[in-house]
Amino acid sequence: MTKAKSFDTRQMVLLAMLTAVVVVLQFLGAFIRFGPFSISLVLMPIAVGAALIGVWAGAWLGLAFGLVVLLSGDAAVFLAIDPFGTIVVVLLKGALAGLAAGAAYKALAKAGKTVAAVTAAAVCPIVNTGIFILGTYVFFLPTIRSWGEAAGFASATAFIFVGMIGLNFVVELILNLVLSPVIIRLVQFGQDRAVKA
């Protein structure tokens, strides 16, 4: 077996393992809530995969995350309002979060693995939440506005940022940043193994 083929096999095995981790963590995370939505525990393995394997692996892991969100019922409230919009937003936010984390890592890797890993860890939840926010404005604004009024918020924007995503986003971002040393060690371990093989 050639060295390149062996490396490709290892990448495929690692991607399969990280996909399984994403699936399990998302199903477990569906029970952990800060506010109306569950927290995304899967953003760290997405960032790890994006850094270790590459940009498209990050996109794949993000897409797997989105599929599990749809299958777990975590997006049921939005599916009842606009099924097409929900599917687009959920799949797009996951895939783009992984893609952006991989691109950030790749762009900064020469500056240092620590900077690249911490940036990828931060970019993942920022893009995930950012696409969710855009999606709520595009597909769900009338419903969000009525939910916000019922909850006593002055505007749909205030409800989105404070009532819907505020605490979740902060927890996800802090969790990824706190765990970024783990991301750095996993990336270094994976790269060291690839060099030795």
Side-chain angles (χ1 to χ4, degrees):
M1 184 183 300
T2 67
K3 186 174 180 178
K5 194 169 199 173
S6 172
F7 186 68
D8 289 344
T9 302
R10 278 196 310 277
Q11 284 184 325
M12 287 177 16
V13 169
L14 179 58
L15 186 59
M17 288 172 44
L18 287 170
T19 302
V21 169
V22 164
V23 170
V24 169
L25 283 178
Q26 184 55 36
F27 274 117
L28 291 175
F31 300 105
I32 302 171
R33 295 184 178 273
F34 292 97
F37 302 108
S38 65
I39 185 169
S40 296
L41 299 173
V42 303
L43 299 175
M44 190 185 82
I46 291 171
V48 169
L52 272 177
I53 306 168
V55 174
W56 296 109
W60 163 256
L61 292 167
L63 186 64
F65 157 50
L67 286 169
V68 176
V69 167
L70 292 171
L71 294 173
S72 70
D74 210 20
V77 170
F78 290 101
L79 279 168
I81 300 164
D82 184 340
F84 173 77
T86 303
I87 292 167
V88 167
V89 171
V90 169
L91 295 180
L92 197 60
K93 76 184 184 72
L96 289 179
L99 191 82
Y105 185 86
K106 185 176 180 181
L108 295 172
K110 289 182 182 172
K113 289 182 173 78
T114 301
V115 170
V118 170
T119 303
V123 163
C124 203
I126 290 169
V127 171
N128 182 57
T129 302
I131 299 298
F132 175 76
I133 292 167
L134 289 174
T136 58
Y137 279 104
V138 171
F139 294 105
F140 310 108
L141 191 56
T143 303
I144 297 297
R145 188 175 289 123
S146 67
W147 288 353
E149 288 171 3
F153 285 87
S155 68
T157 300
F159 180 65
I160 290 169
F161 281 90
V162 178
M164 290 176 62
I165 63 158
L167 188 55
N168 268 28
F169 171 71
V170 171
V171 170
E172 289 169 0
L173 182 62
I174 289 171
L175 189 63
N176 260 29
L177 291 176
V178 167
L179 294 176
S180 61
V182 174
I183 294 172
I184 294 164
R185 287 177 192 243
L186 289 172
V187 169
Q188 188 61 55
F189 176 75
Q191 289 173 343
D192 288 348
R193 289 198 44 130
V195 169
K196 288 177 186 173

